[in-house]
Amino acid sequence: MSIPLPEAFCRVMREQLGSEAEALFEALEGVHIRALRFGDKKADTEVPGLLSPVPYALNAYELEKDSPAGRSWLHDGGLYYLQEPAAMVPASVLNPAPGESVLDLCAAPGGKSTQLSSLMRSRGLLVCNEVVPRRAQVLSGNLERMGVGHALVTQERPEKLAQRFPGFFDAVLVDAPCSGEGMFRRQAESRLEWSWDGVRGCQSRQREILSCAVKMVRLGGRLVYSTCTLNHLENEDNVLWLEENFPDFHRESFRLAGEEYPGILTCYPHRFRGEGQFAALLRRGGETEARVPAPLPPPVSREQKQALFSFSPFEGEVMTFGQILVSLPECPPLQGLRVLRCGLHLGQVRNHGFEPDHAWAMSLTPPCLPCVDMCEEEAAAYLRGDVLRERPERGWVLARWKGLPLGLGKCSSGVMKNHYPKGLRRTSGQMDETGLLS
Ligand code: SAM
């Protein structure tokens, strides 16, 4: 038997939508909509099961209901990110430009961060923060998978970041934790977890997060507040509250797929192809502040530089993050912050030479190494972590499948030692020619 929609939810929707609420309730009993968004990597293969493009997002397509895209290695290899279409609205509304400084304050698992990175064309600074440690690790892994090389991943409370980055960012996204009414169709059990007290609790937590977020927007900068819920308490009421309490913020109209919206948009599933989302765009008044000058990055020694360049040429500033050589366009002060990822991790200098990081192999600019183009069988063995035999190469190599880098290997005496990270290895399964793991 199906799980009924919570009564109090239905009451609020009737208040919000009048007789149109019945169309919403009917839509919530239907089939959920799936989609994927391509990142910036290329592969020599097609992705099956793509339907029409998502009109307001770059390189995004609806997916067939039963598409196995999430089980394909093309997914693990970072060719695309699975995300329902309406969840792509907030980053499209923020629409960051290449070179801007952008904060994604509630970022895990990383759907919107990876979209922001594509919109920024990997240029500028993207700070992706997640307060829950385990979720911050998932976020970091997803950014690595998608090859994002210009992001800092922090695991901090919003209050702490607000103290460190006053007026720093050109654009801030607050995709706040919410009561999740946008899950009612995709995961019917979420209807059981919903409560009116939960909505009230979410509202006050959202206000706390917003109070921190506004402090980090530079004068003249912009803020997008979004949730995946539909009730006005967590959405419109919070925007009104924000404008009343922070009078230098005003909602600003925006265009999406040719339509003009008056600063806020609620994507109801009966009106909009997606699962339910709210987004509001606010601009902070005033002139642009002079940016706090970035401190000099920790220096890279001559020996470290030599070791890196004799391994592979690399364009761009190189800094150190602990023992790791990293590349990051602009580095704000990081002391005292919990940082999980600092730009593109290139690798470390060890006694036996430079040891490249998996993140570099997965990035949009992998190291210049001999490529080993694998057949399905070899690629499946590589992803399991097997040693590959009878290889003619010597030294470090880039393992690829259909032109898409899988990771690194090191060859000597005909054997390729596997450097695919242990935590990512597939312990079972075979891959077919579409990259589908069974
Ligand atoms: N933006 C993400 C994406 O597109 O993949 C989804 C973010 S999810 C809606 C909200 C996130 O806020 C969760 O990862 C949650 O752990 C985090 N969160 C929970 N409580 C928080 C708090 N008090 N301050 C900041 N973030 C919080």
Side-chain angles (χ1 to χ4, degrees):
M1 212 179 75
S2 68
I3 302 169
L5 290 165
E7 258 176 47
F9 166 75
C10 294
R11 199 179 58 242
V12 178
M13 289 302 117
R14 286 198 180 96
E15 278 166 30
Q16 279 177 218
L17 292 167
S19 57
E20 201 190 320
E22 301 310 316
L24 169 67
F25 304 149
E26 195 181 319
L28 289 178
E29 301 308 333
V31 179
H32 71 270
I33 299 173
R34 301 179 64 204
L36 63 72
R37 191 173 35 72
F38 287 97
D40 302 303
K41 295 188 188 181
K42 299 275 172 284
D44 314 326
T45 185
E46 297 286 308
V47 176
L50 297 187
L51 301 173
S52 52
V54 177
Y56 45 83
L58 199 64
N59 297 329
Y61 297 84
E62 286 191 20
L63 268 181
E64 280 173 0
K65 185 165 72 69
D66 303 318
S67 161
R71 285 190 288 122
S72 166
W73 187 81
L74 297 172
H75 172 267
D76 294 21
L79 190 68
Y80 50 76
Y81 195 101
L82 290 175
Q83 197 176 27
E84 67 91 4
M88 301 177 197
V89 165
S92 295
V93 172
L94 193 64
N95 195 21
E100 285 195 313
S101 292
V102 179
L103 169 66
D104 186 356
L105 186 56
C106 310
K112 297 180 187 69
S113 294
T114 53
Q115 190 183 356
L116 293 169
S117 171
S118 287
L119 289 165
M120 296 167 76
R121 308 238 176 266
S122 305
R123 282 174 34 221
L125 176 71
L126 177 61
V127 177
C128 306
N129 182 67
E130 167 58 43
V131 72
V132 178
R134 179 70 200 115
R135 290 178 65 81
Q137 273 174 10
V138 173
L139 167 68
S140 183
N142 275 331
L143 293 175
E144 178 175 275
R145 177 172 72 80
M146 297 299 288
V148 174
H150 64 125
L152 273 182
V153 178
T154 57
Q155 188 249 302
E156 284 298 348
R157 286 175 301 109
E159 296 80 355
K160 175 107 174 249
L161 291 183
Q163 283 167 7
R164 293 298 294 272
F165 298 117
F168 184 85
F169 294 100
D170 298 305
V172 174
L173 174 62
V174 176
D175 187 38
C178 67
S179 61
E181 292 154 4
M183 299 293 284
F184 281 178
R185 181 160 67 177
R186 184 154 52 121
Q187 269 180 26
E189 316 79 68
S190 66
R191 301 172 181 197
L192 299 171
E193 285 155 26
W194 186 97
S195 73
W196 193 239
D197 283 349
V199 169
R200 292 237 172 256
C202 284
Q203 187 195 54
S204 62
R205 185 158 56 158
Q206 288 150 356
R207 291 181 182 187
E208 284 168 20
I209 297 172
L210 282 170
S211 311
C212 299
V214 291
K215 295 185 184 135
M216 291 185 268
V217 179
R218 71 160 168 81
L219 297 182
R222 56 208 193 280
L223 170 76
V224 163
Y225 170 62
S226 62
T227 70
C228 63
T229 210
L230 302 171
N231 70 75
H232 65 90
L233 284 88
E234 296 176 68
N235 294 340
E236 289 87 345
D237 292 5
N238 274 348
V239 175
L240 279 171
W241 170 87
L242 193 148
E243 286 173 315
E244 271 169 33
N245 287 275
F246 303 95
D248 49 343
F249 280 83
H250 297 285
R251 68 188 79 179
E252 183 168 281
S253 62
F254 56 84
R255 291 185 79 76
L256 212 57
E259 294 280 325
E260 174 103 9
Y261 296 94
I264 58 171
L265 165 63
T266 309
C267 309
Y268 291 103
H270 66 293
R271 287 189 195 160
F272 201 97
R273 288 193 65 75
E275 297 310 296
Q277 187 81 34
F278 172 82
L281 174 66
L282 295 121
R283 188 170 292 272
R284 186 173 184 187
E287 295 293 314
T288 307
E289 279 169 352
R291 177 77 55 72
V292 186
L296 285 176
V300 180
S301 69
R302 242 169 55 123
E303 291 73 27
Q304 284 173 317
K305 237 185 206 160
Q306 257 170 9
L308 169 67
F309 283 99
S310 61
F311 172 75
S312 165
F314 180 77
E315 277 182 34
E317 282 287 336
V318 182
M319 312 165 207
T320 52
F321 173 60
Q323 297 299 309
I324 308 170
L325 269 56
V326 300
S327 161
L328 186 71
E330 181 190 15
C331 191
L334 303 177
Q335 291 81 2
L337 292 180
R338 279 183 291 242
V339 179
L340 275 72
R341 183 173 294 276
C342 180
L344 177 57
H345 289 199
L346 299 168
Q348 296 190 45
V349 182
R350 306 250 191 218
N351 290 340
H352 53 271
F354 187 80
E355 189 168 313
D357 197 289
H358 179 67
W360 194 7
M362 296 300 283
S363 75
L364 305 180
T365 51
C368 296
L369 294 175
C371 293
V372 175
D373 285 299
M374 298 179 158
C375 66
E376 280 75 47
E377 223 171 273
E378 288 169 319
Y382 175 80
L383 294 173
R384 280 196 304 267
D386 294 356
V387 164
L388 274 77
R389 295 185 195 280
E390 295 175 37
R391 299 295 333 170
E393 298 84 2
R394 285 176 64 106
W396 287 100
V397 293
L398 196 59
R400 297 199 310 184
W401 178 72
K402 305 248 183 206
L404 197 59
L406 303 175
L408 294 156
K410 196 171 182 188
C411 302
S412 72
S413 314
V415 172
M416 181 178 134
K417 207 173 150 209
N418 197 316
H419 282 258
Y420 192 60
K422 292 202 168 66
L424 300 177
R425 289 179 184 177
R426 301 271 193 178
T427 45
S428 63
Q430 287 298 316
M431 190 165 11
D432 69 13
E433 72 286 356
T434 67
L436 191 62
L437 286 148
S438 53

